[in-house]
């Protein structure tokens, strides 16, 4: 079933601005979260992950924030570029002893030149 | 060149025929997965395998079958019992339970007419 969801299905961003993509999850027992980027006609690409014992993790131009109190996950992309245009999915691992991930429906990010 | 390969990229079949989609990985990952993606939607889990010679049903296993005879390979058969087989099929693999980030192949777009 759908345990994760994204607040907005689409996001339009000006090139050079920062992007924030949000995700709400409902299972307070989830202990692992991942963000993926999917370009048209391709498989999802791993961006960054975070475990529930952390509230922030940074990668190259990306930051993931986890707020367990309100069960909210966000992906921040700094200085958004045209190549960032894609669909972004959040996913959660519902149980620590389970391999399965539950995916949200995705947010389509369009970067305006 | 390590990664996950899926073949073919596009596949066309007549209704009533079984078809097998290939997925191979040379990442030495224990776990492998099959997902289905319909237009504008997220990923739904069909089957997954945590180890060779073992696999479990996902959320939408009806009309599909899999095998895991080798660690590197996890083929998916779409049978004639699957009522709406036209979709984008994605294979993924992950290292194991403590490292559950899943890495995806490029996908196979199956069209059944």
């Amino acid at each position: 079933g759908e345990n994760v969801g994204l607040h907005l299905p689409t996001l339009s961003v000006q090139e050079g601005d920062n992007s924030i993509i949000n995700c709400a999850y409902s299972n307070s027992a989830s202990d692992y979260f991942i963000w993926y980027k999917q370009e048209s006609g391709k498989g999802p690409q791993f961006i960054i992950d975070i475990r529930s014992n952390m509230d922030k993790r940074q990668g190259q131009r990306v930051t993931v924030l986890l707020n367990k109190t309100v069960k909210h996950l966000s992906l921040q992309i700094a200085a958004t570029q045209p190549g960032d245009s894609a669909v972004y999915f959040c996913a959660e691992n519902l149980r620590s002893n389970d391999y399965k991930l539950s995916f949200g429906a995705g947010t389509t990010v369009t970067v305006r030149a | 060149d390590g990664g996950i390969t899926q073949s073919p990229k596009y596949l066309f079949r007549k209704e009533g025929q079984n078809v097998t989609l290939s997925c191979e990985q040379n990442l030495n990952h224990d776990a492998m997965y099959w997902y289905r993606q319909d237009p504008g939607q997220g990923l739904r889990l069909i089957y997954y395998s945590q180890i060779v010679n073992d696999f479990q049903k996902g959320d939408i296993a009806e009309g599909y079958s899999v095998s895991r005879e080798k660690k590197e390979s996890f083929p998916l058969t779409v049978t004639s019992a699957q009522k709406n087989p036209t979709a984008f099929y994605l294979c993924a693999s992950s290292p194991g339970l403590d490292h559950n980030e899943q890495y995806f192949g490029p996908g196979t777009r199956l069209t059944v007419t």
Side-chain angles (χ1 to χ4, degrees), chain A residues 41-73:
Chain A
K42 298 183 179 180
Q45 177 186 358
F46 173 86
I47 301 174
I48 193 168
D49 59 0
I50 189 167
R51 295 204 174 272
S52 58
N53 60 354
M54 303 172 68
D55 53 19
K56 179 179 180 179
R57 191 162 186 229
Q58 289 184 290
Q60 186 177 11
R61 268 200 318 119
V62 296
T63 301
V64 57
L65 298 177
L66 177 62
N67 185 331
K68 295 180 286 295
T69 301
V70 295
K71 291 183 284 188
H72 183 267
L73 187 71

Side-chain angles (χ1 to χ4, degrees), chain A residues 36-46 86-87 89, chain B residues 4 6 9 37 43 88-92 102-109:
Chain A
Y36 286 93
K37 171 187 179 183
Q38 186 178 27
E39 297 177 14
S40 182
K42 298 183 179 180
Q45 177 186 358
F46 173 86
V87 179
F89 294 97
Chain B
I4 304 173
Q6 292 184 243
K9 187 167 179 64
Q37 186 175 34
L43 281 65
F88 189 46
Y89 289 89
L90 289 158
C91 179
Q102 295 181 17
Y103 296 93
F104 285 83
T108 292
R109 187 167 299 280

Side-chain angles (χ1 to χ4, degrees), chain A residues 2-100:
Chain A
E2 290 283 327
N3 288 297
V4 293
L6 292 163
H7 290 310
L8 293 173
T10 61
L11 179 66
S12 180
V13 183
Q14 184 68 39
E15 182 179 356
D17 287 352
N18 296 335
S19 303
I20 299 176
I21 306 166
N22 295 304
C23 181
Y25 63 96
S26 58
N27 190 341
S28 58
S30 293
D31 66 349
Y32 179 64
F33 304 87
I34 306 179
W35 280 100
Y36 286 93
K37 171 187 179 183
Q38 186 178 27
E39 297 177 14
S40 182
K42 298 183 179 180
Q45 177 186 358
F46 173 86
I47 301 174
I48 193 168
D49 59 0
I50 189 167
R51 295 204 174 272
S52 58
N53 60 354
M54 303 172 68
D55 53 19
K56 179 179 180 179
R57 191 162 186 229
Q58 289 184 290
Q60 186 177 11
R61 268 200 318 119
V62 296
T63 301
V64 57
L65 298 177
L66 177 62
N67 185 331
K68 295 180 286 295
T69 301
V70 295
K71 291 183 284 188
H72 183 267
L73 187 71
S74 68
L75 178 71
Q76 300 178 3
I77 305 173
T80 309
Q81 303 169 359
D84 294 327
S85 292
V87 179
Y88 290 81
F89 294 97
C90 63
E92 65 178 321
N93 183 211
L94 298 179
R95 293 180 292 277
S96 60
N97 63 347
D98 194 336
Y99 284 74
K100 293 190 292 184

